[in-house]
Amino acid sequence: MQEEQLIESIDKLLLEALDKRASDIHFEPYQHSYRIRMRIDGVLHDMLTPSPPLALAKQITARLKIMSKLNIAEHRLPQDGQLVIDRYAMRIATLPVMNGEKIVLRVMDNHESELTINDLGLTDADLLTFRQILDYPQGLILVTGPTGSGKTVTLYSGLKRLNKTERNICSVEDPIEIPLEGINQTAINLKAGLTFAIVLRALLRQDPDVMMIGEIRDRETAEIAIQAAQTGHLVLSTLHTNSSVEAITRLNQMGIENYLLSSSLKLVIAQRLVRKLCPHCKVVAREQIKLDNEQVPHYVASGCLRCIGGYKGRVGLYELLVITPDMQKQILANQVVLPANMTSLKMAGQKLVKQGMTTLAELNRVLGDT
Ligand SMILES: [Zn+2]
């Protein structure tokens, strides 16, 4: 393909992916084919059918490397960088694979979201709880869930609510995902020896009121977070656990004693994102399903020109574990029983199925067996 034509085609392809709200674009060389896929609302879709000829792989790879100022002569080592198209920034990562180099572009946040806690999709009761606990002068608030479950947006929305003149808010992140005016954000840099723990200790000497820790991954970070949460700071962070109650177990495994947890932990939010049914093409399923002991109708995904595979956009599912005095006693006794009135992720999801917002299949995909 002519150089100019190639440049134009790649630009067009990237803009199309952005237009479809893709979060990632994959360029994959296989033995006999070249595949380009994009991730939309958490699911991968083929971008071009039929796939472009494998012969184009080298040209496309070279062009993407030029766009992001990577070394086009280097094929044997992974590289990473950044490129800008339109007003969007993308992170690029290359990797040598069996048949060439695979490239993944990750679209950075375009700041379209307002990042307010009102837009998270929390129920009125959960929103009130979150607001009240964000107003605490000290303590630890954790958001848990797998990668891509929307934890960061929840944390940033919380920070944005706290972002006032009278509060010094600091964050340590890997990497800084969304720049926020008024917040002192530091990225860790492992190559330079700048770890979460080192930044956190430095932050404690910066007269902080609120501290955000991108993720608690190790004992040292957990210990500093707990210590800060007990000495007059509000600490917000994330943990990689499936449910809210597992956060307690995970911190125990990291060596945090229950007496420290019971006195510092205030709230654990577990969350997931499920795809929303397209309102233009959803269809009622033939058979009803049994939810909460009642037979209810539900919808299945279809697909039309206004959506992808019957889905468009995502909505959050939340499970809030509030550390009440009673829960504190349970943590101390190492016998946590979930409150009867707590809405679990599964219950939150089933409610959306009942409302026709999403499908049972989507809920199963995101939560596992239901
Ligand atoms: Zn549709």
Side-chain angles (χ1 to χ4, degrees):
M1 198 189 279
Q2 293 279 317
E3 178 83 12
E4 266 171 40
Q5 206 185 339
L6 180 89
I7 291 174
E8 202 177 302
S9 306
I10 292 178
D11 282 0
K12 213 175 123 201
L13 186 88
L14 298 185
L15 290 171
E16 186 198 326
L18 289 167
D19 188 48
K20 291 192 167 148
R21 301 175 306 105
S23 60
D24 306 78
I25 311 165
H26 296 229
F27 298 83
E28 306 160 295
Y30 297 110
Q31 210 167 348
H32 303 293
S33 63
Y34 191 56
R35 178 152 74 168
I36 303 177
R37 292 189 286 181
M38 58 183 165
R39 191 180 293 281
I40 298 171
D41 294 331
V43 179
L44 281 171
H45 301 271
D46 274 316
M47 269 199 88
L48 299 175
T49 34
S51 310
L54 187 57
L56 273 183
K58 275 200 177 118
Q59 277 181 284
I60 295 178
T61 304
R63 174 62 194 156
L64 290 171
K65 284 183 176 175
I66 290 169
M67 287 174 83
S68 37
K69 300 183 180 73
L70 298 183
N71 180 356
I72 59 164
E74 177 59 77
H75 306 288
R76 291 170 304 179
L77 294 174
Q79 296 185 66
D80 58 83
Q82 194 174 323
L83 68 89
V84 176
I85 182 157
D86 207 1
R87 60 199 170 84
Y88 291 87
M90 301 188 194
R91 276 208 300 269
I92 180 169
T94 73
L95 180 74
V97 290
M98 196 164 62
N99 299 293
E101 279 178 283
K102 168 161 174 158
I103 291 185
V104 178
L105 301 178
R106 154 71 50 101
V107 182
M108 318 263 274
D109 190 87
N110 53 25
H111 321 302
E112 267 175 12
S113 142
E114 288 285 318
L115 291 177
T116 78
I117 59 171
N118 299 345
D119 293 340
L120 292 174
L122 291 161
T123 61
D124 290 348
D126 285 348
L127 186 59
L128 187 68
T129 304
F130 192 28
R131 274 204 204 117
Q132 283 170 342
I133 295 177
L134 279 172
D135 283 337
Y136 286 2
Q138 69 168 25
L140 177 63
I141 298 175
L142 290 173
V143 184
T144 78
T147 306
S149 56
K151 299 188 294 268
T152 312
V153 168
T154 303
L155 272 195
Y156 278 114
S157 303
L159 283 188
K160 214 166 166 195
R161 180 182 161 79
L162 293 167
N163 192 2
K164 306 256 166 70
T165 305
E166 61 267 28
R167 290 194 189 94
N168 173 18
I169 306 180
C170 311
S171 80
V172 46
E173 306 173 54
D174 178 26
I176 294 169
E177 292 192 44
I178 309 173
L180 282 184
E181 191 77 18
I183 293 174
N184 306 287
Q185 295 170 281
T186 304
I188 66 160
N189 184 342
L190 293 180
K191 275 184 207 154
L194 196 60
T195 62
F196 271 109
I198 288 175
V199 178
L200 276 176
R201 286 210 188 84
L203 286 188
L204 282 168
R205 296 187 290 268
Q206 290 271 320
D207 185 28
D209 296 295
V210 178
M211 294 164 75
M212 194 270 258
I213 305 167
E215 189 186 337
I216 296 178
R217 290 180 196 162
D218 53 56
R219 179 180 185 148
E220 206 179 0
T221 308
E223 280 172 349
I224 304 171
I226 295 282
Q227 185 202 340
Q230 288 190 315
T231 51
H233 311 98
L234 189 67
V235 180
L236 286 77
S237 189
T238 71
L239 264 184
H240 247 304
T241 63
N242 284 322
S243 70
S244 54
V245 72
E246 278 174 46
I248 295 168
T249 323
R250 180 61 53 85
L251 287 167
N252 282 159
Q253 286 165 349
M254 285 183 188
I256 304 297
E257 303 277 357
N258 277 327
Y259 76 94
L260 289 171
L261 263 187
S262 71
S263 57
S264 56
L265 194 58
K266 303 297 175 199
L267 172 69
V268 186
I269 301 177
Q271 77 171 85
R272 297 289 188 284
L273 293 174
V274 293
R275 287 179 296 165
K276 283 195 285 191
L277 270 167
C278 167
H280 303 289
C281 65
K282 65 181 184 183
V283 285
V284 180
R286 279 205 208 118
E287 287 165 15
Q288 297 200 331
I289 42 160
K290 201 172 176 187
L291 291 180
D292 294 337
N293 285 323
E294 83 181 286
Q295 291 289 129
V296 291
H298 67 116
Y299 291 85
V300 290
S302 168
C304 69
L305 286 173
R306 302 195 225 193
C307 67
I308 290 168
Y311 295 99
K312 192 169 190 187
R314 284 191 287 182
V315 62
L317 297 183
Y318 300 92
E319 170 183 301
L320 269 68
L321 178 65
V322 181
I323 312 303
T324 56
D326 186 47
M327 189 57 67
Q328 285 182 323
K329 280 184 209 147
Q330 293 184 25
I331 295 174
L332 265 180
N334 204 11
Q335 276 188 322
V336 176
V337 181
L338 291 178
N341 62 356
M342 189 180 88
T343 305
S344 67
L345 283 170
K346 186 171 161 183
M347 287 155 71
Q350 287 176 343
K351 201 171 143 197
L352 293 183
V353 172
K354 259 193 200 175
Q355 291 170 344
M357 285 268 276
T358 192
T359 63
L360 209 54
E362 175 65 1
L363 199 58
N364 288 338
R365 184 185 72 84
V366 172
L367 289 183
D369 59 327
T370 304

